[in-house]
Amino acid sequence: NRMANLNEISDFIWGIKELLRDDYEAKDYEEVILPFTLLRRIDCVLESTHDKVVVANEKFKDKATPEVLDQLLKQAAGQNFYNKSDYTLVGLTKDINNIGVNFEAYLNGFSDNIKDILLNFSGGPEKGLSPIYETLLRKELLLLVTKEFVSPKIDLHPDVVNNHEMGTIFEILIRKSKETSNDKAGQYFTPREIVQLMVDLVFVNEGNKLQKAGAGINIYDPCCGTGGMLTTAKNYLLETVNKDLDVWLYGQEINEKTYAIAKSDLLIKGE
């Protein structure tokens, strides 16, 4: 059963909070769990092309402009993002004495679109990337947490867990984290049924127009929270109105961490 498997993976990931119990408040578990889940997924997606990216970076870093290099590395990665450092999460667990400095190099090796997400997880660009690993390092938990995330129980390779399923895992984790903190949960998570009803109402008279061949639609959510409204609207349109519809999603969000979660979720779902 796929869903049972996704719940199992989600439970294992959320269970890593037990390592944090003495050092973090419950409301702060998500500051570790969510970015690390994203890192693990990206790592699995990039695993097969990682060496190609490192080679391409060595070859072109002194010859190409930053824009051209960015394009070349995306090409080498076969994705819209990459990591040009020598490290992967698994690699970081091998050199236990230098995990702090290596982790910093690893985070700095990401393409700008991933760095943007990570900086917002940290609370904004002015804080830099260090909050993601510095507290863990100081509390001697960085190696332990990284090891848990590369456990075979969290196999997030795309041939094992597709983008849609990965999105489901991420949504389960978001819900668990908001329930744990009880931090104005409604501000972050609108129940699925309510989203469905809103989408129904918005598109009730649009059906004919959207069923035409080659039809497309832009959807914009000006306070998108973790992005659930956008992806639910898209799924609904593709499932019930027109499976070939072109849907472009746009959102904005004022809270840095919520923005980071939304952007991660969309990236994970292949948007």
Side-chain angles (χ1 to χ4, degrees), residues 85 87 92 95-108 133 137 142:
S85 79
Y87 302 102
L92 288 167
D95 182 1
I96 57 178
N97 296 323
N98 298 304
I99 189 158
V101 60
N102 293 349
F103 213 99
E104 185 176 17
Y106 167 70
L107 294 179
N108 278 312
Y133 71 96
L137 183 66
L142 184 58

Side-chain angles (χ1 to χ4, degrees), residues 89-265:
L89 280 182
V90 175
L92 288 167
T93 62
K94 302 272 166 57
D95 182 1
I96 57 178
N97 296 323
N98 298 304
I99 189 158
V101 60
N102 293 349
F103 213 99
E104 185 176 17
Y106 167 70
L107 294 179
N108 278 312
F110 278 112
S111 48
D112 287 347
N113 48 359
I114 304 291
K115 272 198 199 142
D116 177 49
I117 294 176
L118 297 175
L119 287 168
N120 279 286
F121 266 126
S122 298
E126 61 286 349
K127 301 247 175 78
L129 292 168
S130 52
I132 287 179
Y133 71 96
E134 225 168 39
T135 309
L136 288 169
L137 183 66
R138 199 171 62 244
K139 294 177 183 293
E140 296 182 354
L141 289 169
L142 184 58
L143 183 63
L144 278 172
V145 168
T146 308
K147 273 190 167 158
E148 285 292 298
F149 270 95
V150 299
S151 150
K153 289 191 176 152
I154 314 180
D155 186 350
L156 301 183
H157 286 76
D159 46 359
V160 178
V161 176
N162 66 32
N163 283 350
H164 180 71
E165 291 169 333
M166 190 60 223
T168 304
I169 289 172
F170 208 70
E171 280 176 13
I172 294 169
L173 293 171
I174 295 165
R175 199 175 65 241
K176 284 178 186 291
S177 69
K178 297 307 171 197
E179 284 167 358
T180 300
S181 60
N182 205 6
D183 177 21
K184 300 185 213 141
Q187 196 175 314
Y188 300 95
F189 196 83
T190 307
R192 206 22 80 77
E193 300 74 17
I194 294 176
V195 176
Q196 204 77 62
L197 176 63
M198 287 171 73
V199 171
D200 265 339
L201 293 171
V202 168
F203 295 114
V204 74
N205 295 320
E206 304 282 318
N208 293 343
K209 201 165 69 185
L210 297 176
Q211 278 161 349
K212 293 192 174 118
I217 187 169
N218 294 322
I219 303 177
Y220 170 59
D221 184 345
C223 45
C224 69
T226 54
M229 199 83 77
L230 289 168
T231 46
T232 303
K234 177 174 178 173
N235 291 342
Y236 171 80
L237 288 171
L238 294 177
E239 282 163 19
T240 63
V241 179
N242 176 358
K243 67 177 176 25
D244 299 318
L245 186 67
D246 280 322
V247 184
W248 293 279
L249 302 179
Y250 300 87
Q252 68 175 16
E253 170 54 42
I254 195 167
N255 177 295
E256 285 101 345
K257 286 179 186 158
T258 314
Y259 165 85
I261 292 169
K263 195 162 168 176
S264 305
D265 192 33

Side-chain angles (χ1 to χ4, degrees), residues 60-79:
F60 297 115
K61 66 179 179 191
D62 300 325
K63 298 176 191 154
T65 64
E67 293 76 21
V68 171
L69 183 61
D70 186 59
Q71 285 310 313
L72 288 168
L73 296 180
K74 283 178 180 172
Q75 222 173 331
Q79 300 290 341

